[in-house]
Amino acid sequence: VNRSRAALVLGLALGALESARTMIRMYPAAATGHALEGAALLALGRRDEARAALGRALSADWEEGSEQQRRAAASLHEALGRP
């Protein structure tokens, strides 16, 4: 999680995407990996894929105390609109 977030902050979207996808392979039901995947895809300009990843995040299991992250994912998903 921290690696993917750090990569995003540093503008390393491909590294963030790789880290997010590793998280998803390890914990497919967890929302955080999908949300970070969506953010990385958005940073890469891949809006449709980002929308889909954020949709998966919103349908997945969020850890306790991650309400702010869930709201951020929901806001991004809404801002990307419908396909």
Side-chain angles (χ1 to χ4, degrees):
V1 172
N2 289 337
R3 182 178 177 185
S4 186
R5 287 182 184 150
L8 277 173
V9 168
L10 294 172
L12 304 171
L14 283 175
L17 180 59
E18 180 181 310
S19 293
R21 289 187 170 162
T22 296
M23 283 189 286
I24 292 167
R25 282 192 298 278
M26 294 173 63
Y27 308 102
T32 303
H34 296 286
L36 289 169
E37 179 187 34
L41 288 164
L42 184 58
L44 291 167
R46 295 161 58 178
R47 293 176 57 91
D48 292 339
E49 292 172 86
R51 183 184 311 107
L54 291 164
R56 288 190 297 275
L58 295 173
S59 298
D61 296 329
W62 288 89
E63 297 174 10
E64 185 176 327
S66 60
E67 181 59 26
Q68 184 176 5
Q69 292 175 356
R70 191 201 63 72
R71 284 195 311 267
S75 292
L76 276 177
H77 188 260
E78 184 178 325
L80 288 171
R82 301 233 178 252

